[in-house]
Amino acid sequence: MFAFLLFLVILAPPVLANVVLAVRLRDAVLRGGARTLPARTRAAWRQGTRRPVWPALLAVVAGAGLLTFGLERLYLATVADGPRWGVDVVLLTLALGLLGAVVCGGLAGLAAATVARVRGFGAGGIAGLLALVAVAAGTAAAHLPLRAAYRADPGSFPAVANLGDGDLLAPFEIFVAVLIWALPWSVLGAALGARSVTADRSAPRDVWQLLLDMTTADLPEHRAAWGAALRAELAAIDPRPERRRFALGGAWAAVRSGRPRGTWMAAAVVAVAVAVGNFAASRWSLTHDRGGVLDFWLAFPSVLLLAVAFVTAWRSRSFGSGMRTGALSGLAAMVAVLAVSIPEAVVWANRRAGYLSTGDAVPPSWQSAVLDVLRLDFLVVMVVFWLVGTAGGAALGTAFGRRRPAGASD
């Protein structure tokens, strides 16, 4: 059951992206006919690769390659010592790779939204897609030589007991595969960035105008007029130092601007639901010998955060509002998981039932059982899947919310 719920959470962004793309293509066909699609595609490609996009892509390739090179060397230097530290370095690296793929999806969406704000949906989608391709290219360029060396002489690399032959570098190869999940965010970011572009689209005056435009473009309805006033005031400022100071201050104020209504209530509801569900899952698994609650930690809060972010984004028509509420609710969920799981881990240890997380082995002491709950790799994996649920819910809620007539009641 929990695996099915997790599958739905992961599936939400790709499904929404396909719907957005289908609607955009339908609108383009209705406006100009199917024969105009090739010309529109070529125009989107040219706009999506114009300066400063392609220099930025080259920088992404170089940055991804250098980061991969450094992380792989750090991984090889520490992977054999992980068990002595009480950390599964392979699992931790895999979890961080998943988190990295999620972050890359967010950066691709931001790049797509930035370009789409100035050049339209098609150009934004192309730019976001190429950003992910650049990440994959840089990662592969750094990883493939190491992979070839490992294949040629495995004996010169560290040996890890819980890995089979040829699996030592699997976490880095899985990262490239998981980037596929990030592809839909190019479409979603372009749709969010292009929604407020008018027919008389023009290039931003400078990077400070673009920064303020992007941070105030997705404010809730009750703050939209304030964002417009900030943009108008920046347009009246000419000296560059003053423009920079004003834009940075306005962007920071917009990012932390007013929590949506019901944020604390949503966080409290999520905390209570996760605490009750965690306790019930622990006792049910203990009674029926089902083996741990790690699947509950991953799936159930992810679904709750998707729902919270969806409702908030739907009410406010704002992706950012959904993410902010989801983040606070996720923090409340983490507190609830730890508050319930730590004493439950002690119960499992005293009953010789194994570790609470997976139900395998028997902890030598209650301290070991508690430390298993606080393992960094487990916490990172939870954050990854909860973040996926929050982002998917915010994107869905924003898409549905903006289909409502303005001023419609909640």
Side-chain angles (χ1 to χ4, degrees):
M1 174 183 174
F2 289 130
F4 177 71
L5 292 177
L6 202 57
F7 174 75
L8 293 181
V9 169
I10 295 173
L11 191 63
V15 170
L16 178 59
N18 284 326
V19 172
V20 169
L21 190 58
V23 171
R24 290 277 178 169
L25 289 174
R26 182 203 64 186
D27 292 344
V29 170
L30 290 177
R31 286 197 305 268
R35 293 182 179 179
T36 64
L37 287 181
R40 289 173 177 269
T41 302
R42 288 193 297 269
W45 176 266
R46 288 194 299 269
Q47 292 291 327
T49 54
R50 273 177 44 203
R51 290 181 63 91
V53 173
W54 67 262
L57 293 176
L58 293 177
V60 169
V61 172
L66 291 173
L67 185 60
T68 301
F69 181 86
L71 289 176
E72 286 185 333
R73 269 60 188 179
L74 178 63
Y75 169 76
L76 292 175
T78 58
V79 66
D81 295 327
R84 291 190 303 170
W85 303 336
V87 176
D88 187 338
V89 176
V90 177
L91 181 57
L92 177 59
T93 305
L94 181 59
L96 291 174
L98 295 175
L99 181 59
V102 172
V103 171
C104 287
L107 293 177
L110 180 60
T114 302
V115 175
R117 181 115 181 124
V118 179
R119 303 177 185 174
F121 172 80
I126 293 293
L129 176 63
L130 290 179
L132 291 177
V133 172
V135 171
T139 301
H143 173 73
L144 290 179
L146 182 66
R147 183 66 180 176
Y150 178 52
R151 288 294 188 183
D153 186 16
S156 63
F157 285 77
V160 182
N162 62 340
L163 288 179
D165 293 339
D167 290 337
L168 179 65
L169 303 178
F172 293 91
E173 294 166 358
I174 290 174
F175 166 76
V176 178
V178 175
L179 279 179
I180 296 173
W181 177 87
L183 290 176
W185 290 99
S186 300
V187 176
L188 299 179
L192 289 171
R195 78 173 184 92
S196 57
V197 174
T198 59
D200 58 342
R201 183 190 304 120
S202 58
R205 177 175 168 180
D206 53 24
V207 68
W208 309 118
Q209 179 188 336
L210 181 59
L211 173 66
L212 193 62
D213 282 353
M214 292 302 300
T215 51
T216 59
D218 191 49
L219 292 172
E221 286 184 327
H222 69 283
R223 302 288 286 173
W226 173 75
L230 281 181
R231 296 192 294 271
E233 188 169 351
L234 178 64
I237 300 175
D238 290 324
R240 286 188 61 83
E242 292 183 25
R243 287 180 63 81
R244 182 184 66 250
R245 287 193 295 270
F246 184 86
L248 290 174
W252 176 242
V255 167
R256 56 189 180 88
S257 175
R259 292 185 301 272
R261 290 177 298 165
T263 297
W264 289 107
M265 179 61 69
V269 170
V270 168
V272 171
V274 170
V276 172
N278 195 7
F279 181 81
S282 170
R283 292 308 171 96
W284 186 88
S285 184
L286 185 63
T287 302
H288 296 85
D289 194 24
R290 293 291 180 171
V293 295
L294 181 59
D295 53 349
F296 172 88
W297 290 345
L298 298 181
F300 185 71
S302 298
V303 175
L304 283 182
L305 294 176
L306 185 149
V308 166
F310 174 87
V311 172
T312 303
W314 177 78
R315 288 169 59 97
S316 63
R317 305 168 182 251
S318 168
F319 178 83
S321 295
M323 288 297 296
R324 283 192 289 272
T325 301
L328 183 60
S329 299
L331 181 61
M334 182 64 73
V335 172
V337 164
L338 296 180
V340 173
S341 296
I342 288 175
E344 284 298 294
V346 176
V347 172
W348 279 55
N350 291 337
R351 296 190 184 183
R352 312 291 293 176
Y355 288 102
L356 175 66
S357 58
T358 57
D360 59 344
V362 175
S365 64
W366 68 267
Q367 293 93 335
S368 177
V370 170
L371 290 176
D372 181 70
V373 173
L374 300 175
R375 280 176 53 174
L376 182 59
D377 41 13
F378 287 164
L379 297 178
V380 172
V381 170
M382 282 191 281
V383 169
V384 169
F385 286 102
W386 294 5
L387 182 59
V388 169
T390 301
L396 286 169
T398 305
F400 280 95
R402 288 175 181 169
R403 294 183 63 87
R404 292 185 298 143
S409 61
D410 295 335

